[in-house]
């Protein structure tokens, strides 16, 4: 049986800070990509990267269960002391991720036209977005396999290894995008190619990190039908949950695109700040995933309750800190991101929404981590579907209020999601009563 890790504030922070640092580099890449295009002053190109990024995120993160389901299942196997299953989960995740990514690459000839038939843009925006999306698809097999590696590392609490992998991928991404856009003049296509190159490099580094765990693995255990059935059952619900939330974000991006290139570009800039907050606070949510999963594997209700309380304390404090930082620094950061006066004005007008979002969104992000660690796929699925439906209804009701209505609906979506997941908390606690 694996030893139970300590559940102290110091231990929680020691586990969370590498995730926070690594996660912070994820939106920083988006910020750099946005700035690389934004500094050209071309609103259509910036809007194209925003729209293309939404499409790629929708398609790739539909398979985000490879990260989330892997974390919860690995943590529970570790809590039971089942080292063979820990290794088998890694092999299953890599095989499924690479296979599904290859299928995405092959199907892009049908998926890309279908995506642009749904999203509103316009000729100039669509041209840039198509160039970005087609380039990103070359990295699909690597991207999905890296999802599995990251989820497995986080499930074991190996957050420093996950940090190293994330930082490597993002540094390569930043360097490649700057080279391809500024020096080779490839525009939106260069941003997409830079990210694809970074994903393949990250897969090579990730395989080097986990290679010892794959040596001597029993492949009969990897192909165990019961384990595969559980993996797909958990992941099917998480996939539906992820698609629902991606639909929400895609609807938000499309709402901005409907209002014009300047509005879409302004929303893209503001969403970089939202993404930065969400990804950094995910440091505590991911820690909650591992700790809750370990507690369930060890059948310890006391561990689970303490894990929820400690990660909740840290999450709330960090959310308040971010709100203060955005309130004082947001107006200074926007002109750095774009030189277009119309885009700057639009982003400044909507900045108050970004200031309040850290505190409003924090409960939803933390609850996601708790339920992912518990592999409560049905709760996650149902809450996401309900929150997305309520969000779309709110957005439609506020169509007459322009981009302000778009941001009000997005803000309320986090309230809907937290409330829906909160309703399932008593049932989760009864699981270890």
């Amino acid at each position: 049986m694996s030893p139970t890790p300590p559940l102290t504030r110091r231990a929680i922070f020691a586990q969370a800070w590498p995730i926070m640092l690594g996660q912070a580099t994820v939106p920083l890449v988006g910020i750099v990509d946005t700035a690389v295009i934004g500094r050209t002053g071309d609103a259509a190109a910036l809007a194209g990267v925003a729209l293309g990024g939404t499409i790629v995120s929708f398609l790739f993160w539909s398979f985000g269960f490879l990260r989330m389901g892997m974390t919860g299942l690995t943590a529970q196997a570790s809590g039971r002391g089942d080292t063979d299953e820990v290794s088998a989960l890694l092999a299953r995740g890599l095989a499924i991720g690479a296979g599904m990514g290859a299928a995405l690459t092959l199907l892009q000839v049908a998926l890309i036209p279908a995506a642009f038939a749904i999203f509103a843009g316009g000729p100039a925006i669509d041209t840039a977005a198509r160039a970005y999306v087609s380039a990103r698809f070359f990295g699909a097999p690597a991207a999905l396999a890296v999802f599995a590696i990251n989820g497995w590392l986080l499930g074991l609490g190996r957050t420093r290894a996950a940090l190293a992998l994330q930082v490597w991928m993002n540094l390569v991404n930043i360097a490649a995008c700057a080279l391809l856009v500024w020096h080779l003049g490839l525009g939106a296509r260069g941003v997409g190619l830079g990210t694809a190159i970074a994903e393949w490099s990250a897969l090579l580094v990730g395989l080097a990190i986990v290679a010892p765990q794959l040596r001597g693995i029993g492949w009969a255990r990897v192909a165990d039908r019961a384990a595969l059935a559980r993996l797909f059952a958990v992941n099917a619900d998480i996939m539906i949950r992820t698609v629902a939330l991606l639909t929400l974000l895609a609807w938000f991006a499309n709402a901005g695109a409907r209002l014009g290139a300047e509005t879409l570009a302004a929303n893209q800039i503001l969403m970089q700040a939202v993404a930065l907050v969400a990804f950094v606070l995910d440091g505590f949510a991911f820690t909650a995933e591992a700790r809750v999963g370990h507690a369930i594997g060890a059948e310890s209700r006391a561990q689970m309750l303490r894990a929820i309380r400690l990660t909740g304390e840290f999450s709330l404090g960090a959310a308040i800190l971010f709100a203060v930082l955005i309130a004082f620094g947001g107006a200074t950061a926007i002109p750095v991101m774009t030189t277009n006066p119309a885009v700057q004005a639009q982003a400044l007008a909507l900045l108050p929404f970004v200031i309040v979002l850290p505190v409003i969104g924090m409960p939803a992000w933390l609850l996601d981590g708790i339920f992912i660690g518990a592999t409560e796929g049905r709760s996650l699925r149902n809450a996401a579907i309900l929150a997305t439906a309520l969000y779309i209804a709110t957005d439609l009701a506020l169509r007459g209020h322009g981009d302000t209505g778009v941001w009000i609906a997005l803000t309320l979506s986090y309230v809907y999601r937290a409330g829906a997941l909160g309703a399932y908390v008593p049932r989760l606690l009864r699981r270890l009563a």
Side-chain angles (χ1 to χ4, degrees), residues 395-413:
D395 180 75
L396 291 173
L398 296 174
R399 279 284 172 92
H401 297 275
D403 209 22
T404 299
V406 170
W407 278 89
I408 291 173
L410 179 68
T411 303
L412 288 175
S413 73

Side-chain angles (χ1 to χ4, degrees), residues 98-308:
M100 290 182 170
L104 273 180
T105 303
L106 293 173
L107 291 171
Q108 66 176 294
V109 293
L111 292 173
I112 293 177
F116 282 95
I118 297 171
F119 288 89
I125 296 176
D126 282 358
T127 298
R130 282 177 182 270
Y132 173 86
V133 172
S134 62
R136 282 295 308 274
F137 264 88
F138 290 112
L144 270 57
V146 170
F147 285 174
I149 293 174
N150 264 323
W152 185 82
L153 290 172
L154 293 172
L156 293 179
R158 294 178 58 183
T159 55
R160 295 191 183 190
L163 167 64
L165 179 59
Q166 194 69 59
V167 168
W168 170 263
M169 180 169 68
N170 295 333
L171 288 176
V172 172
N173 193 357
I174 290 170
C177 289
L179 173 65
L180 294 170
V181 174
W182 282 344
H183 294 282
L184 298 182
L186 296 182
R189 184 182 298 279
V191 176
L193 283 174
T195 304
I197 290 168
E199 287 163 343
W200 280 107
S201 73
L203 176 58
L204 294 176
V205 173
L207 288 173
I209 292 172
V210 303
Q213 197 74 31
L214 294 172
R215 294 194 187 105
I217 191 171
W219 291 102
R221 179 69 180 265
V222 174
D224 179 79
R225 289 188 178 183
L228 283 170
R230 187 188 179 209
L231 178 65
F232 280 107
V234 170
N235 287 341
D237 286 329
I238 294 179
M239 183 177 185
I240 295 171
R241 166 260 182 203
T242 304
V243 170
L245 294 181
L246 288 171
T247 300
L248 188 157
L249 293 175
W251 186 283
F252 171 80
N254 203 38
R258 191 182 63 250
L259 296 174
E262 286 79 13
T263 297
L264 179 58
N267 288 354
Q268 165 75 352
I269 289 170
L270 293 175
M271 282 303 289
Q272 301 310 310
V274 175
L276 178 62
V277 173
F279 275 106
V280 173
L281 289 185
D282 272 347
F284 297 115
F286 288 4
T287 301
E289 290 180 28
R291 294 292 182 152
V292 168
H294 194 283
I296 289 175
E299 299 184 351
S300 173
R301 188 172 189 267
Q303 278 190 45
M304 183 172 73
L305 289 172
R306 184 164 175 78
I308 292 171

